[in-house]
Amino acid sequence: MSTTGRTRALRRRMIVEARRSTIAHGLHGFTIEQLCETVGVSRRTFFNHFASKEDVVLGIELHADVEAIESYAAGGVVADDLDPLDSIVAMAIDQFHRAGIDRADEVLVRGVFEREPALVARFLSATDVQLARITDAVRLRFGWDDPDDRRARLVTEAAAGMLKVTAETYFDDAFDEVTGPTFGDLLTTNLRLMRAAISTGQDTTP
């Protein structure tokens, strides 16, 4: 496993264990030191990846996706001939696979929010920050330099809406991940449906 892969696996272990501990004991029912001991890392290593106990529970990593977003802004990560909305969807699929997110993560997150509802606001705030970063990246990638140009934000918010609908479907208890589409395929289908709905009101794709 590469160094990047090992780092990603370590972060996931810390996140999963923090979520399990929160569900079992509450956010204030365990310490960072106890979490580090369980995972087998030092306190210094913990703070190399997360700013606080709340952040590790929510999976908010220090400098998360910075390299990918900067590369996207410079024209990398996804094919350079994609339009703005297609490019964001492609990047989202790429990051979804890189993060290794699965349905078990959603179950843990749901349990965390049920145990600690106050964390929902922190999660939403972090989401807003991430959307702002992606909006800036879209603006740079497509040369929309005018600060009054709303296109980057409109595209980013549209993509965020599609991601929300896709996640609601994919992580629903009734969804069969064995026979159902992958997250990427489902998101791509939703993109096609949205384009068809906007242009004609019908899905004419074979």
Side-chain angles (χ1 to χ4, degrees), residues 48-194:
N48 283 339
H49 298 285
F50 301 98
S52 67
K53 185 164 56 172
E54 290 82 358
D55 282 1
V56 69
V57 171
L58 293 174
I60 302 171
E61 304 168 9
L62 286 172
H63 315 302
D65 303 326
V66 169
E67 184 176 340
I69 291 176
E70 289 179 347
S71 178
Y72 169 84
V77 180
V78 299
D80 59 9
D81 60 345
L82 296 177
D83 68 31
L85 191 54
D86 280 342
S87 71
I88 297 177
V89 168
M91 182 173 66
I93 293 172
D94 176 75
Q95 292 303 302
F96 184 88
H97 290 307
R98 286 178 182 274
I101 299 171
D102 57 29
R103 288 165 58 81
D105 290 295
E106 193 275 339
V107 172
L108 286 175
V109 171
R110 190 188 307 172
V112 165
F113 288 157
E114 289 174 354
R115 182 66 188 255
E116 297 285 352
L119 286 177
V120 174
R122 174 75 181 91
F123 176 78
L124 293 175
S125 176
T127 300
D128 288 342
V129 170
Q130 185 75 340
L131 283 175
R133 291 169 58 202
I134 295 173
T135 298
D136 288 340
V138 171
R139 187 176 290 113
L140 287 170
R141 184 182 179 101
F142 293 97
W144 294 335
D145 300 324
D146 186 343
D148 294 326
D149 192 332
R150 298 187 295 275
R151 286 178 294 178
R153 182 174 180 188
L154 288 169
V155 169
T156 305
E157 294 287 350
M162 278 193 299
L163 281 165
K164 179 181 178 182
V165 172
T166 302
E168 287 174 352
T169 301
Y170 184 78
F171 292 115
D172 188 271
D173 292 338
F175 183 83
D176 188 342
E177 60 184 319
V178 176
T179 60
T182 65
F183 184 88
D185 287 343
L186 186 58
L187 179 56
T188 301
T189 297
N190 284 341
L191 171 60
R192 185 197 71 205
L193 289 172
M194 188 181 78

